[in-house]
């Protein structure tokens, strides 16, 4: 939730608020700035500088709680006890926050257990610390040197949550972690990130005979949603038709009937027809207007799309940014400020490995063809050498699962660049704890979510759609139409990943030919393509952003 540039630690009392650019600045003399800190400002957030005695202070940027008064921009603690109490209150906040401790000896950046909008950090050769919630902001402050282990994690679908990023010189402040920046006079800056201890998780319990998990979930979800400060008329609920976003959206309709807008990226063919029918039924629950975007008109890697044109993008943002970002622009153009998502639903309903075995299920097959040595066949010599290091330096398992936290780092910048703030109720610790406590029966195939829809009177097609509604067929189509051709072109042009030994060019070309004929095993060609294209884009000069960050400007532009 912060952007920052600090040449050294300093006394926070020297900071001054500059409303013109919305930042705190430390100006040692006219025209010379020793550092600045820019909080992301939004109606759903609040920030405050708290100054204590002895040259200590902290700045916190956090999600606002509904019904609480707006805090003052600066607060002076009267003594050490009052300062310690205020800082303890800030870190005990039940919603998301990022807190920056400041004193003349060190700068410390601490993230909440939510891990929202994580701050990425790098130190320049001159010793200065640079940070941002948008990793792309740091490209001019660092090199494009790659982190070899992160490259192999990405190519082998090994989602390991850690402070490491694809760029070797950039680190991320992960959930509950603390980054410490120190600098000796005339020396280089030193950055260290310390992980927290592991988070606590619940085990399944035996329910009483009169237990009603559906009612408990419904009540808890309503309570969780009402924690956030938002105006229903400027809120959008993702309503793809999936179980996760549907349950969040229906609770919003119950709490604020007819006031919340909905939106969705629509699938193609029979999948899209079924999705449209289901959404029509769901919207009768009571919503305002609806935003729809046909994904087939904005396929990943389309020749007229931003990524094909070389616009900077992070490879981990996912394949559907072309369509998703256009939909977000439509939200902004109609005055939206917050977006409620279903992110986290897959994770809270997830079965443990022993539960899958007990229920007679099978573990999912790996998406990659595996060679004789249990490795993806398209890996080069460097990639194979680093396979065993993929789980090194992993962050401890926290209250929120790794896959949710990885999604936060990739997705939040797309919302924030447009002045939007995403809210993810199903990732709330209370929801996670409830779901973990439920017997396997209620989590299998998301039975808890589906049973709620049944009790609300929705049809069998809404509760148990015959066709699987996911984006896989969209990615298959995109790779057939555009992706394979683009990947072969990148290989012809000289692949950085091949040159560095991460990919085996012969095997990858064979996978391209195979996919062109069969249209199957999309993931064997998708990951190498988006990583190679993304890394090339990061080395190019920045292009103009696709939408203004100011919602009012977007509305005037009619985007």
């Amino acid at each position: 939730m912060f952007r920052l540039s600090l040449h050294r630690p300093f006394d926070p009392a020297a900071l001054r608020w500059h409303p013109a650019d919305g930042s705190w600045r430390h100006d040692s003399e006219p025209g010379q700035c020793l550092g600045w800190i820019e909080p992301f400002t939004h109606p759903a957030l609040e920030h405050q500088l708290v100054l204590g005695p002895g040259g200590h202070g902290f700045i916190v940027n956090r999600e606002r709680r509904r019904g609480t008064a707006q805090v003052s921009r600066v607060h002076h603690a009267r003594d050490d006890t009052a300062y310690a109490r205020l800082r303890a209150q800030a870190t005990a906040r039940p919603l998301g926050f990022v807190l920056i401790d400041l004193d003349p000896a060190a700068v410390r950046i601490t993230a909440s257990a939510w891990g929202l909008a994580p701050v990425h950090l790098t130190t320049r050769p001159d010793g200065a610390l640079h940070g941002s919630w948008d990793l792309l902001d740091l490209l001019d402050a660092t090199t494009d040197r790659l982190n070899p282990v992160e490259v192999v994690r990405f190519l082998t679908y090994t989602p390991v949550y850690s402070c490491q990023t694809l760029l070797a010189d950039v680190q991320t402040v992960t959930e509950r972690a603390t980054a410490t920046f120190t600098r000796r006079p005339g020396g280089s800056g030193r950055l260290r990130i310390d992980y927290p201890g592991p988070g606590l998780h619940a085990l399944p319990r035996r329910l009483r005979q009169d237990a009603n998990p559906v009612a408990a979930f419904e009540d808890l979800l309503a309570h969780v949603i009402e924690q956030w400060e938002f105006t229903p008329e400027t809120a959008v609920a993702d309503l793809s038709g999936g179980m996760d976003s549907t349950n969040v959206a229906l609770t919003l309709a119950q709490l604020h009937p007819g006031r919340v807008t909905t939106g969705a990226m629509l699938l193609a063919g029979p999948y899209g027809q079924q999705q449209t029918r289901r959404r029509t039924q769901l919207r009768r629950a009571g919503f305002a207007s609806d935003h729809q975007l046909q994904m087939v008109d904005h396929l990943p890697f389309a020749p007229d799309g931003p990524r094909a044109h070389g616009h900077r993008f992070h490879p981990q943002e996912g394949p559907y940014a072309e369509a998703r970002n256009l939909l977000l622009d439509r939200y902004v153009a109609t005055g939206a400020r917050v977006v409620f998502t279903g992110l986290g639903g897959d994770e809270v309903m997830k079965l443990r490995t022993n539960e899958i075995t007990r229920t007679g299920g099978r573990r999912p097959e790996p998406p990659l063809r595996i060679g004789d040595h249990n490795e993806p066949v398209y890996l080069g010599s460097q990639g194979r050498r680093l396979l065993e290091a993929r789980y090194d330096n992993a962050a401890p398992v926290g209250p929120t699962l790794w896959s949710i936290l990885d999604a936060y780092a990739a997705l939040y910048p797309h919302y924030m660049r447009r002045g939007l703030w995403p809210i993810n109720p199903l990732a709330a610790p209370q929801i996670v704890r409830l779901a973990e406590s439920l017997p396997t029966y209620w989590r299998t195939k998301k039975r808890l979510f589906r049973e709620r829809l049944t009790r609300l009177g929705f049809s069998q097609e809404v509760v148990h759609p015959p066709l699987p509604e996911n984006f896989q067929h969209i990615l298959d189509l995109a790779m057939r139409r555009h992706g394979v051709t683009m990947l072969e072109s990148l290989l012809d042009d000289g692949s950085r990943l091949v040159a560095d030994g991460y990919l085996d060019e012969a095997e990858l070309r064979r996978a391209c030919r195979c996919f062109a004929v069969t249209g199957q095993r999309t993931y064997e060609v998708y990951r190498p393509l988006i990583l190679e294209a993304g890394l090339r884009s990061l080395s190019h000069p920045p292009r103009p952003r696709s939408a203004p960050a100011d919602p009012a400007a977007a509305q005037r532009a009619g985007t």
Side-chain angles (χ1 to χ4, degrees), residues 194-206:
D194 296 310
Y195 287 144
L200 297 177
H201 285 264
L203 292 174
R205 302 177 182 181
R206 179 177 297 176

Side-chain angles (χ1 to χ4, degrees), residues 24-201:
W24 293 96
R25 299 176 66 88
H26 183 297
D27 297 321
S28 59
E29 56 186 61
Q32 184 178 7
C33 179
L34 293 181
W36 55 266
I37 300 173
E38 177 191 317
F40 179 71
T41 56
H42 189 278
L45 305 177
E46 62 183 11
H47 71 271
Q48 185 176 50
L49 169 63
V50 177
L51 298 173
H56 296 282
F58 68 84
I59 299 177
V60 63
N61 198 11
R62 61 197 178 196
E63 294 183 300
R64 289 184 62 193
R65 296 191 68 184
R66 179 177 288 274
T68 58
Q70 185 74 46
V71 297
S72 59
R73 183 171 288 131
V74 184
H75 181 83
H76 293 266
R78 64 179 180 273
D79 54 34
D80 288 334
T81 301
Y83 179 80
R85 184 179 67 252
L86 289 168
R87 193 188 179 286
Q89 290 172 350
T91 55
R93 191 81 168 191
L95 299 180
F97 66 83
V98 175
L99 186 144
I100 304 178
D101 286 296
L102 298 162
D103 64 54
V107 175
R108 298 176 183 84
I109 304 173
T110 302
S112 72
W114 285 78
L116 307 178
V119 177
H120 310 286
L121 300 170
T122 188
T123 52
R124 294 186 64 163
D126 64 3
L129 175 71
H130 292 266
S132 178
W133 46 261
D134 189 345
L135 186 142
L136 301 188
D137 288 339
L138 303 181
L139 294 177
D140 295 331
T142 187
T143 68
D144 63 352
R145 192 166 62 95
L146 298 181
N147 182 320
V149 173
E150 279 297 304
V151 171
V152 176
R153 286 172 178 168
F154 187 87
L155 290 172
T156 57
Y157 295 83
T158 309
V160 174
Y161 184 62
S162 80
C163 64
Q164 298 174 330
T165 72
L166 282 169
L167 298 179
D169 300 314
V170 177
Q171 298 184 76
T172 298
V173 187
T174 54
E175 63 89 22
R176 296 178 299 132
T178 297
T180 302
F181 171 67
T182 55
R183 184 175 183 180
R184 294 179 179 177
S188 61
R190 181 171 182 267
L191 177 65
R192 184 186 79 245
I193 294 183
D194 296 310
Y195 287 144
L200 297 177
H201 285 264

Side-chain angles (χ1 to χ4, degrees), residues 229-290:
E229 178 63 42
F230 68 96
T231 303
E233 286 76 10
T234 62
V236 179
D238 282 341
L239 184 61
S240 65
M243 289 298 109
D244 308 336
S245 64
T246 291
N247 273 274
V248 172
L250 290 176
T251 297
L252 283 163
Q254 291 171 344
L255 293 170
H256 308 286
R259 300 171 67 188
V260 175
T261 298
T262 55
M265 297 184 292
L266 299 184
L267 306 175
Y271 304 96
Q273 295 165 10
Q274 173 184 273
Q275 181 190 22
T276 298
R277 291 192 302 270
R278 296 175 68 247
R279 291 188 78 249
T280 298
Q281 287 189 53
L282 291 167
R283 278 188 40 79
R284 291 176 189 149
F287 296 97
S289 56
D290 187 40

Side-chain angles (χ1 to χ4, degrees), residues 311-392:
H311 286 242
R312 280 180 167 177
F313 74 94
H314 194 286
Q316 290 174 315
E317 70 179 21
Y320 311 109
E322 286 89 345
R324 183 193 62 235
N325 290 346
L326 285 173
L327 186 61
L328 295 181
D329 290 341
R330 293 185 184 181
Y331 295 168
V332 171
T334 55
R337 301 309 307 272
V338 300
V339 181
F340 282 87
T341 83
L343 188 64
D346 288 339
E347 288 74 15
V348 300
M349 291 287 105
K350 187 177 182 179
L351 297 184
R352 299 167 176 84
T353 302
N354 64 327
E355 292 174 327
I356 295 174
T357 305
R358 237 183 6 249
T359 56
R362 294 191 306 172
R363 299 187 67 177
E365 294 294 327
L368 305 168
R369 285 181 298 125
I370 303 297
D372 295 337
H373 302 288
N374 198 34
E375 62 202 24
V377 292
Y378 60 53
L379 281 187
S381 58
Q382 170 79 333
R384 293 194 298 273
R385 184 179 67 81
L386 293 169
L387 276 174
E388 292 185 2
R390 284 176 293 176
Y391 295 97
D392 292 351

Side-chain angles (χ1 to χ4, degrees), residues 77 118 130 221 299 423 455 465 485 515:
H130 292 266
L221 183 56
L299 290 176
I423 296 177
R455 295 185 187 185
T485 302
F515 179 79

